[in-house]
């Protein structure tokens, strides 16, 4: 049975989980290390949600479950589809997962090839692939970078291209791992503006509490493989006891 | 990290830059092949080849002397051919004395030595020009078009992408080693050769593990975007009429070189 | 600045066409097997793994350690690549490294790339893996010792092959190039051996699973042991023989038809003016005519394609 935390009384916004519904997810790594103990959460169309918590809380592990890279015990539903072996390709097109290190995310020699990778592997025809690359680069305001070499980009540029590499798949959910890590103030500002303007549901794991305060109306706090709080960001940031208990700081 | 130290491509708007990469790769290989075919002492043919090279330099807008400036790279290897100076029978030109040995340079030996150097020097310049006017990813595309197995071109593409990332890691490791290699005044830093080799070996091991873990993360990033064991690529290049004409012209010139070299 | 061409990267111009072509044929044949073997056994993960490992070998070649008098030890990596990735994947990875060094840095030529891949990628991987495989199941100490010997021998094998190719091309004199190359590489090989041993020891300690049972490294066939043993034996026997009795080797080459026995200088092989297997006969004139016709045909074809692409 999932344990109910009654320590706090945050209420997740009313939502039936039309984009993402995770129910009682458990996962242990092959070495026996247990990472998720009954995680449940719901995301609806247009939600922009921050996922915070100390290192080792299970945030990254949870994210790897959202498109089936890891498969634990429990249910994951994306846009109404229950994740299983057969619909894995369809799910992966629905969930745009951007990894923390853009050097891992951008594995092709050129920007074009990287942004085209997703649509190409969805089996789309060439014209459609090219159109999607243009649209994705336009969405992150990097159209002029199409023919650039990935290793010539700055960290900030790499992060934006990394987002374009999943936008080109037209996902219904964008999942970002530490998008603002390692950015200088200007690149961080550009990224914040970009995330604010993107009209897409997103779940963003971060340690950057200022970013959380500025960008996300709703926050989910995880610790030790559990969701310990889920509610309006402004309420959660007011609860100093909660923040302290889970190694977080007020912005 | 100064990536320019590794990138040999020079961005310019030129005739050669715009050519299809296949044309450039094929012409470079045919040119080098032709050099290998030219007999020793075919001076006129060597001269023609050099003029061809100058024309290519000119068309690249990088300057007539561009490839020449960078071509010393193959020079150290000339040492390996030095023995032909003395060992081919012919009319003696001069004799060098080295301790107790006499080395007699013969005209035939000199002819062969100089011919080897010229061939090498011409060939390396064309290869230098190739990467200066062709972005490396386009060279990889050319190899794909030329039927190099996909496994190899894919490895090469990954190698190109990550050599910058990993050499960066190597330099961080080397710098960290240096900053810890302090020595008291008057003493040599570090232990013996064996100990230094161990440090270097551990570095290589560490780099291996980091690379291994990185390949895991890259794999995750790939499957997250639909990779399922088969790689798809777009055909980014199409041969235009100009590309065919240039190839025909280059083949003609190179053929003429061979004719000149044999008469 | 970071790049120092090593004596094993042969540039274009130093090998004759025939030797280059023969080396390409051997290399392509071996790589063909390697490609089909890896394609068959290819896990999805192998592609990014081999790609990043190629970058690893490239970068690891820059790790050096000061020896003495301004020289430094470093690693070629063929043995290491084969030991950690298995023989076929190791060969493909080394091939990619040699290809990029030639294409991007002109460190090694293009026409002679077949020879360079053979010397630095294929033989080194075969010998490194073969000897390593022969002691699978032994204690860690034995393994590391054998790895050291294998790494050293892999460099010596590469150097020996390079010398032979240079000699057969008429570029170097056998009785000088063999002792010179082997002498230098006996030292370079020590650097290779030390770095390889310490690198593998490090991996054994931190991630033993990568080299243990069930790893890619353990999957190579046992017949590699024979391959490794035979190449090692050749290196060990041929090197002193070639240094001590170059005439003997030349006699063999003459018998095999590599060297024109009629020539006063034995290493001046493959007369340049005619095709070697045809000789100075009317046949070679006819052949030249055929070549001319083929070239004209190619030119016409290209122009035709160009006109078609235009319309």
């Amino acid at each position: 049975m999932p344990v109910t935390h009654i320590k706090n009384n945050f209420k997740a916004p009313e939502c039936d989980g039309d984009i993402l519904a995770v129910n009682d997810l458990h996962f242990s790594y092959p070495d026996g290390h247990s990472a998720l103990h009954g995680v449940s959460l719901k995301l609806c169309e247009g939600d922009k949600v921050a996922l915070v918590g100390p290192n080792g809380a299970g945030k990254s592990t949870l994210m790897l479950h959202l498109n089936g890279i890891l498969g634990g015990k429990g249910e994951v539903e994306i846009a109404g589809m229950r994740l299983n072996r057969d619909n894995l390709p369809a799910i992966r097109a629905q969930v745009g997962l951007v990894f923390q290190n853009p050097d891992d995310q951008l594995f092709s020699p050129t920007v074009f090839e990287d942004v085209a990778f997703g649509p190409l592997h969805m089996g789309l025809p060439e014209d459609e692939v090219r159109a999607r690359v243009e649209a994705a680069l336009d969405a992150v305001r990097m159209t002029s970078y199409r023919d650039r070499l990935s290793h010539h980009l700055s960290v900030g540029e790499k992060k934006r291209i990394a987002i374009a590499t999943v936008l080109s798949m037209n996902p219904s959910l964008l999942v970002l791992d530490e998008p603002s890590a390692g950015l200088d103030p200007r690149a961080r500002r550009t990224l914040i503006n970009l995330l604010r303007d993107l009209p897409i549901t997103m779940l963003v794991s971060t340690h950057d509490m200022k970013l959380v305060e500025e960008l996300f109306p709703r926050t989910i706090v995880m610790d030790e493989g559990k969701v310990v709080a889920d509610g309006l960001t402004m309420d959660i940031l007011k609860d100093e006891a909660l923040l302290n208990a889970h190694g977080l700081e007020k912005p | 990290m100064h990536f320019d130290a590794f990138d040999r491509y020079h961005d310019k708007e030129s005739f050669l830059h715009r050519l299809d990469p296949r044309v450039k790769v094929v012409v470079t290989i045919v040119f080098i092949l032709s050099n290998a075919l030219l007999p020793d002492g075919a001076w006129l043919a060597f001269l023609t080849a050099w003029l061809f090279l100058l024309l290519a330099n000119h068309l690249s807008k990088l300057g007539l002397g561009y490839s020449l400036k960078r071509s010393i790279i193959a020079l150290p290897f000339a040492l390996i051919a030095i023995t032909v100076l003395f060992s081919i029978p012919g009319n003696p030109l001069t004799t060098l004395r080295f301790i107790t040995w006499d080395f007699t340079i013969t005209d035939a030996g000199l002819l062969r030595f100089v011919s080897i150097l010229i061939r090498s020097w011409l060939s390396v310049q064309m290869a230098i020009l190739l990467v200066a006017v062709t972005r490396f990813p386009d060279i990889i595309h050319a190899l794909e078009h030329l039927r190099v197995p996909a496994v190899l071109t894919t490895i090469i593409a990954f190698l190109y992408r990550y050599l910058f990332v990993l050499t960066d890691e190597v330099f961080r490791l080397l710098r960290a080693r240096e900053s810890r290699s302090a020595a008291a005044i008057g003493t040599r830093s570090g232990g013996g050769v064996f100990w230094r080799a161990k440090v270097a070996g551990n570095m290589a091991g560490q780099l291996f593990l980091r690379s291994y873990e990185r390949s895991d993360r890259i794999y995750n990033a790939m499957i997250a975007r639909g990779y399922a064991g088969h790689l798809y690529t777009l055909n980014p290049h199409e041969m235009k009429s100009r590309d065919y004409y240039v190839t025909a012209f280059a083949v003609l010139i190179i053929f003429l070189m061979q004719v000149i070299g044999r008469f | 600045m970071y790049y120092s061409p090593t004596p094993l990267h042969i540039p274009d111009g130093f090998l004759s066409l025939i030797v280059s072509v023969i080396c390409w044929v051997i290399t392509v044949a071996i790589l063909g097997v390697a490609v089909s073997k890896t394609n068959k056994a290819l896990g999805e993960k192998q592609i990014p793994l081999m790609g990043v490992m190629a970058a690893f070998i490239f970068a690891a070649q820059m790790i050096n350690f000061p020896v003495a008098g301004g020289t430094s030890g470093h690693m070629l990596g063929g043995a290491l690549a084969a030991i950690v990735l298995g023989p076929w994947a190791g060969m493909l990875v080394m091939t990619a490294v040699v290809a990029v060094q030639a294409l991007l840095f002109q460190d090694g030529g293009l026409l002679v790339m077949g020879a360079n891949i053979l010397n630095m990628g294929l033989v080194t991987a075969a010998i490194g893996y073969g000897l390593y495989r022969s002691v699978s199941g032994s204690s860690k100490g034995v393994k590391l010792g054998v790895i050291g010997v294998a790494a050293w021998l892999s460099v010596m094998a590469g150097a020996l092959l390079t010398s032979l190719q240079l000699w057969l091309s008429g570029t170097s004199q056998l009785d000088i190039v063999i002792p010179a190359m082997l002498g230098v590489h006996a030292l370079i090989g020590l650097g290779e051996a030390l770095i390889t041993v310490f690198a593998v020891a490090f991996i054994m300690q931190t991630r033993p699973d990568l080299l243990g049972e069930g790893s890619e490294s353990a999957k190579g066939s046992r017949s590699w042991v024979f391959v490794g043993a035979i190449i090692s034996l050749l290196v060990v026997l041929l090197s002193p023989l070639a240094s001590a009795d170059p005439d003997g080797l030349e006699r063999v080459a003459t018998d095999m038809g590599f060297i024109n026995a009629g020539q006063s200088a034995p290493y001046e092989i493959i007369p340049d003016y005619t095709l070697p297997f045809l000789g100075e006969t009317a046949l070679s004139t006819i052949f030249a005519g055929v070549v001319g016709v083929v070239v004209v045909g190619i030119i016409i074809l290209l122009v035709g394609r160009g006109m078609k692409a235009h319309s």
Side-chain angles (χ1 to χ4, degrees):
Chain A
M1 274 300 288
V3 181
T4 318
H5 293 270
I6 47 166
K7 269 199 311 205
N8 58 66
N9 51 1
F10 298 111
K11 242 182 114 211
E14 290 291 314
C15 160
D16 56 3
D18 57 354
I19 293 290
L20 169 71
V22 177
N23 192 18
D24 195 21
L25 192 62
H26 292 260
F27 180 75
S28 300
Y29 281 98
D31 62 4
H33 165 67
S34 163
L36 298 178
H37 313 272
V39 171
S40 301
L41 56 94
K42 283 177 175 169
L43 254 69
C44 284
E45 176 95 51
D47 275 355
K48 292 197 177 181
V49 180
L51 184 62
V52 299
N55 287 338
K59 297 177 305 228
S60 298
T61 309
L62 172 65
M63 291 181 151
L64 289 173
H65 276 83
L66 299 185
N67 64 1
I69 290 177
L70 295 179
K73 229 170 64 199
E75 287 165 30
V76 176
E77 233 179 71
I78 309 284
M81 280 185 290
R82 173 86 186 271
L83 195 152
N84 57 38
R85 262 198 172 280
D86 302 325
N87 61 14
L88 210 52
I91 295 275
R92 283 181 179 159
Q94 290 298 314
V95 181
L97 183 53
V98 179
F99 292 85
Q100 179 179 352
N101 186 342
D103 276 328
D104 300 338
Q105 179 85 19
L106 305 178
F107 45 74
S108 310
T110 68
V111 167
F112 175 86
E113 286 169 293
D114 245 320
V115 183
F117 188 93
L120 261 177
H121 286 77
M122 290 163 68
L124 298 174
E126 180 169 343
D127 291 347
E128 174 74 12
V129 172
R130 289 183 189 279
R132 287 203 178 192
V133 171
E134 285 307 310
L137 286 175
D138 190 45
V140 297
R141 297 180 209 110
M142 303 277 283
T143 13
S144 59
Y145 283 68
R146 186 184 49 230
D147 295 320
R148 294 281 283 272
L149 301 175
S150 304
H151 64 266
H152 281 180
L153 308 174
S154 70
V155 185
E157 290 164 344
K158 279 181 188 166
K159 291 253 181 185
R160 280 192 279 161
I161 296 295
I163 292 172
T165 62
V166 299
L167 287 182
S168 60
M169 299 191 296
N170 287 354
S172 37
L173 171 64
L174 193 58
V175 180
L176 308 179
D177 199 355
E178 296 284 356
S180 64
L183 294 185
D184 66 18
R186 193 186 305 156
R188 182 173 165 277
R189 179 54 46 196
T190 315
L191 185 91
I192 290 177
N193 291 338
L194 173 68
L195 293 182
R196 176 182 296 124
D197 296 348
L198 277 179
I200 181 169
T201 314
M202 57 179 81
L203 179 66
V204 177
S205 144
T206 184
H207 290 305
D208 184 345
M209 295 308 275
K210 273 192 163 151
L211 176 82
V212 173
E213 182 179 37
E214 197 176 335
L215 208 53
F216 302 101
R218 179 179 158 200
T219 296
I220 295 173
V221 183
M222 274 185 83
D223 200 359
E224 295 179 347
K226 292 183 203 113
V227 172
V228 292
D230 182 350
L232 293 177
T233 302
M234 49 186 223
D235 295 339
I236 285 182
L237 291 182
K238 268 186 235 153
D239 189 337
E240 281 192 42
L242 174 85
L243 295 179
N244 286 336
H246 302 292
L248 300 169
E249 268 180 7
K250 235 180 130 128
Chain B
M1 184 51 208
H2 304 286
F3 298 118
D4 295 350
F6 286 118
D7 262 347
R8 301 300 201 249
Y9 175 71
H10 284 255
D11 202 15
K12 275 237 158 67
E13 267 299 306
S14 89
F15 181 74
L16 281 197
H17 284 77
R18 283 191 300 268
L19 272 185
D20 189 284
R22 264 168 289 185
V23 174
K24 290 184 267 190
V25 169
V26 168
V27 170
T28 303
I29 290 172
V30 174
F31 180 78
I32 293 173
L33 191 83
S34 152
N35 291 337
L37 267 172
L38 285 177
D40 287 349
W43 309 122
L44 205 56
F46 289 149
L47 182 70
T48 323
W50 186 54
L51 290 176
F52 184 72
L53 198 59
L54 283 184
L55 175 71
N57 267 296
H58 174 69
L59 289 176
S60 73
K61 290 203 184 148
L62 294 170
L64 275 184
Y66 177 82
S67 63
L68 179 70
K69 265 184 282 177
R70 271 137 230 267
S71 62
I72 38 165
I73 182 161
L75 270 189
F77 207 87
L79 210 61
I80 214 108
I82 209 116
T83 54
V84 297
L85 278 176
F86 324 108
S87 54
I88 296 183
N91 300 321
L93 294 177
T94 175
T95 301
L96 302 174
R97 194 126 227 214
F98 181 71
I99 313 178
T100 54
W101 295 287
D102 282 332
F103 294 103
T104 307
I105 298 179
T106 64
D107 57 351
L110 188 65
L111 179 90
R112 174 126 188 86
F113 183 69
V114 173
S115 300
I116 289 174
L117 287 199
I118 289 180
R119 273 194 211 103
S120 173
W121 179 72
L122 289 170
S123 303
V124 80
Q125 286 197 58
M126 199 52 120
I128 287 167
L129 207 53
L130 171 69
V131 286
V133 300
T134 320
R135 296 187 329 153
F136 199 73
D138 289 334
I139 293 183
I140 299 175
H141 295 151
L143 297 180
E144 281 167 11
H145 283 301
L146 296 170
R147 306 278 155 83
V148 174
V151 184
L152 264 179
T153 54
T154 312
I155 298 178
I156 290 174
F158 272 105
L159 166 53
Y160 178 71
R161 172 66 183 92
Y162 285 102
L163 78 87
F164 303 97
V165 179
L166 294 195
T167 45
D168 204 19
E169 275 184 34
V170 166
F171 291 123
R172 279 203 300 269
L173 286 170
L174 290 177
R175 217 173 292 140
R177 177 180 69 180
E178 230 146 82
S179 67
R180 275 175 292 161
S181 314
I185 295 168
T187 64
R188 232 160 47 99
S189 103
V193 172
F194 200 69
W195 181 80
R196 275 175 268 163
K198 182 171 177 180
V199 173
N202 286 347
M203 251 184 224
Q206 179 125 31
L207 187 69
F208 167 81
L209 290 183
R210 286 191 197 174
S211 310
Y212 192 91
E213 281 155 13
R214 183 184 289 278
S215 84
D216 253 359
R217 297 195 302 269
I218 293 168
Y219 171 68
N220 280 344
M222 288 171 76
I223 55 173
R225 284 192 266 156
Y227 170 73
H230 191 285
L231 275 176
Y232 300 88
T233 49
L234 286 177
N235 270 352
H237 298 284
E238 221 171 299
M239 291 278 281
K240 301 193 186 69
S241 58
R242 184 186 55 202
D243 298 313
Y244 287 109
Y245 295 145
V246 169
T247 317
F249 174 75
V251 169
L252 181 71
I253 299 287
I254 292 170
F255 182 62
L256 285 179
M257 266 176 230
Q258 288 299 319
V259 175
I260 293 171
R262 266 144 230 284
F263 291 104
Chain C
M1 107 193 217
Y2 314 117
Y3 227 77
S4 55
T6 65
L8 286 186
H9 292 79
I10 309 171
D12 278 317
F14 287 83
L15 291 189
S16 73
L17 185 63
I18 294 293
V19 172
S20 309
V21 168
I22 292 173
C23 289
W24 262 121
V25 170
I26 299 172
T27 297
V28 167
I30 298 174
L31 282 182
V33 180
V35 166
S36 90
K37 288 267 182 193
T38 36
N39 271 341
K40 226 177 280 167
L42 206 60
E44 292 173 18
K45 264 186 166 171
Q46 282 282 92
I47 281 283
L49 176 64
M50 287 196 288
V52 178
M53 281 302 133
F56 157 69
I57 294 288
F58 184 96
Q61 290 186 351
M62 290 174 185
I63 296 176
N64 56 6
F65 63 95
V67 178
T71 60
S72 61
H74 61 146
M75 182 180 67
L76 203 58
L80 180 63
I83 289 168
V84 294
L85 294 173
W88 297 118
M91 284 180 177
L92 290 179
V93 160
M94 288 307 291
T95 301
V97 171
V98 174
V100 167
Q101 285 171 340
L103 280 166
L104 194 54
F105 303 103
Q106 291 80 48
D107 196 5
L110 300 183
L111 188 63
V112 299
M113 200 200 285
N116 282 332
I117 293 173
L118 183 65
N119 304 345
M120 288 184 286
L122 307 188
V123 171
T124 51
I127 206 168
Y129 188 77
L131 295 191
Y132 170 69
R133 191 75 173 80
S134 71
V135 289
S136 64
S138 307
S139 72
K140 194 173 153 186
V142 173
K143 274 188 187 168
L144 289 177
V146 169
I147 286 171
V149 174
W152 185 79
L153 273 174
S154 75
V155 172
M156 294 302 274
L160 181 64
L161 262 180
T162 307
S163 317
L164 292 177
Q165 288 152 1
L166 287 166
W167 162 62
L168 288 173
S169 299
T171 303
S172 306
Q173 207 178 334
L174 187 65
D175 53 359
I176 293 175
V177 72
I178 293 249
M181 285 287 273
L182 292 186
V184 168
H185 283 88
L187 285 176
I188 292 180
L190 284 182
E192 176 94 17
L194 287 173
I195 297 188
T196 307
V197 166
F198 286 122
V200 174
F202 185 89
I203 298 165
M204 279 175 169
Q205 202 170 11
T206 39
R207 285 288 300 271
D209 56 307
L210 294 181
L211 291 169
E213 276 175 63
S215 66
E216 287 305 322
S217 161
K219 282 186 197 149
S221 147
R222 286 236 35 122
S223 42
W224 281 102
V225 176
F226 293 101
V227 178
I230 287 169
I231 303 177
S232 315
L233 213 62
L234 276 177
V235 173
V236 171
L237 293 180
L238 208 56
S239 306
L241 180 83
S243 326
D245 181 21
D247 298 340
L249 206 58
E250 271 165 18
R251 224 164 23 243
V252 175
T254 313
D255 292 344
M256 282 165 69
F258 264 117
I259 295 181
N260 192 336
Q263 299 247 342
S264 45
Y267 37 85
E268 192 175 345
I269 47 160
I270 323 297
D272 283 306
Y273 293 86
T274 53
L275 286 149
F277 48 91
L278 293 177
E280 297 245 25
T281 61
L283 213 60
S284 81
T285 318
I286 294 170
F287 188 82
V290 172
V291 169
V293 170
V294 169
V295 169
V296 171
I298 291 174
I299 291 173
I300 291 174
L301 189 79
L302 286 168
V303 172
R305 285 274 198 107
M307 282 156 80
K308 213 164 129 198
H310 194 69
S311 55

